[in-house]
Amino acid sequence: MNQREIIQKTADYIKQEFSDDSSGHDWRHIYRVWQTALYICNIEKADAFIVQLAALLHDLDDWKFNDSEDGTPLRARNWLKSLNLDSSTIDAVCRIIERVSYKGAGVEDKMDSLEGFIVQDADRLDAIGAIGIARAFAYGGYKNRPLYDPDSSPQLHQTFEQYKNSKSDTINHFHEKLLLLKDKMNTAAARRIAEQRHEVMIQFLKQFMDEIRNADFSPPT
Ligand code: ADP
Ligand code: NI
């Protein structure tokens, strides 16, 4: 198989694996990350084979849907092995997958390759803007979280454990993650796209809080 056929075969596999997701991690999320990563990759002149494999496989072992405690991307590695890829390609892709996820506002990013920076930016771009808003509430619903709870406030998590175990409302998630992503982009191309998507979230949150306030007719105490 040539590289093109390997990418197509991986896309077919992932499309089938993610076909019935309703948490915002459906095939179309993976597809957008793949295409966005390819767009940034062309600008950055990175290795498009590694970028595409990592983009396609990036959520297959996600901690949000798997019990794997140590974050090793077992399923992705097995898939790559089944394609008989050389070990340096497999290791480069798995290194990216292990590091791609957001782990809390105060937790240091460990991504260490240009290809990884690109995939991480593409994934983060899909978490912000109008799509990001839709995905956040889809994920909140999937996790039985309230849209908004006036009695809880955002936490800037300092460890992955805290972030992982948080059960707070989806509006808090904007302050705990989504609004911080614009300044965490690795590449200039992603930063440009993020600026505009960030503004969409700011407008949305302003309108949301205005409507919340207007719905509150209780007399002042
Ligand atoms: P990451 O691996 O960086 O979390 P994903 O591709 O898995 O990236 O996407 C995470 C998606 O899940 C985002 O769209 C985000 O809004 C949503 N999400 C994650 N945690 C929460 C949460 N606590 N509340 C609402 N949405 C969440
Ligand atoms: Ni993702």
Side-chain angles (χ1 to χ4, degrees):
M1 264 191 296
N2 62 29
Q3 290 195 344
R4 202 189 174 83
E5 288 163 344
I6 289 172
I7 296 296
Q8 193 50 55
K9 194 168 175 196
T10 303
D12 292 344
Y13 165 58
I14 291 296
K15 186 172 182 181
Q16 168 220 315
E17 286 295 313
F18 286 77
S19 59
D20 68 348
D21 172 276
S22 57
S23 74
H25 292 78
D26 52 313
W27 159 246
R28 298 310 300 187
H29 163 64
I30 309 296
Y31 179 81
R32 288 188 300 270
V33 173
W34 175 26
Q35 295 305 308
T36 306
L38 208 45
Y39 164 79
I40 304 173
C41 182
N42 284 332
I43 298 173
E44 296 286 335
K45 312 254 178 292
D47 183 327
F49 187 54
I50 302 274
V51 164
Q52 292 188 85
L53 285 175
L56 284 167
L57 295 167
H58 84 273
D59 272 337
L60 191 58
D61 294 279
D62 194 306
W63 60 270
K64 296 190 243 15
F65 312 100
N66 292 280
D67 297 330
S68 149
E69 279 299 314
D70 58 358
T72 316
L74 260 187
R75 297 177 71 201
R77 188 175 283 278
N78 284 339
W79 173 254
L80 295 167
K81 275 189 193 160
S82 77
L83 295 167
N84 291 320
L85 293 176
D86 62 88
S87 63
S88 76
T89 302
I90 297 180
D91 288 346
V93 172
C94 289
R95 232 181 134 73
I96 295 173
I97 298 170
E98 278 166 19
R99 289 165 173 73
V100 73
S101 262
Y102 185 80
K103 297 197 169 59
V107 182
E108 192 197 345
D109 255 315
K110 296 261 167 60
M111 194 61 88
D112 55 5
S113 66
L114 177 59
E115 287 72 24
F117 290 146
I118 291 169
V119 175
Q120 190 171 49
D121 278 2
D123 194 27
R124 287 175 171 178
L125 284 174
D126 210 58
I128 62 176
I131 290 174
I133 294 169
R135 291 185 67 223
F137 288 102
Y139 186 82
Y142 165 77
K143 282 283 187 187
N144 289 325
R145 293 189 182 160
L147 305 181
Y148 171 67
D149 171 7
D151 296 328
S152 82
S153 50
Q155 310 284 322
L156 295 180
H157 305 107
Q158 299 304 308
T159 68
F160 181 40
E161 263 326 282
Q162 290 171 359
Y163 176 69
K164 195 157 73 169
N165 295 326
S166 154
K167 303 237 176 329
S168 74
D169 68 59
T170 299
I171 290 294
N172 280 344
H173 186 64
F174 283 80
H175 301 281
E176 293 168 352
K177 173 183 174 188
L178 307 185
L179 293 174
L180 311 178
L181 293 182
K182 170 173 76 71
D183 294 328
K184 288 181 181 281
M185 292 295 163
N186 303 300
T187 66
R191 222 169 292 128
R192 267 195 305 279
I193 302 171
E195 298 278 343
Q196 193 259 340
R197 294 191 183 185
H198 184 83
E199 282 314 307
V200 171
M201 294 192 293
I202 298 286
Q203 286 303 318
F204 166 78
L205 288 170
K206 183 179 175 306
Q207 175 73 20
F208 190 99
M209 295 316 295
D210 283 352
E211 291 178 17
I212 292 285
R213 270 188 292 275
N214 290 340
D216 195 352
F217 294 107
S218 53
T221 49

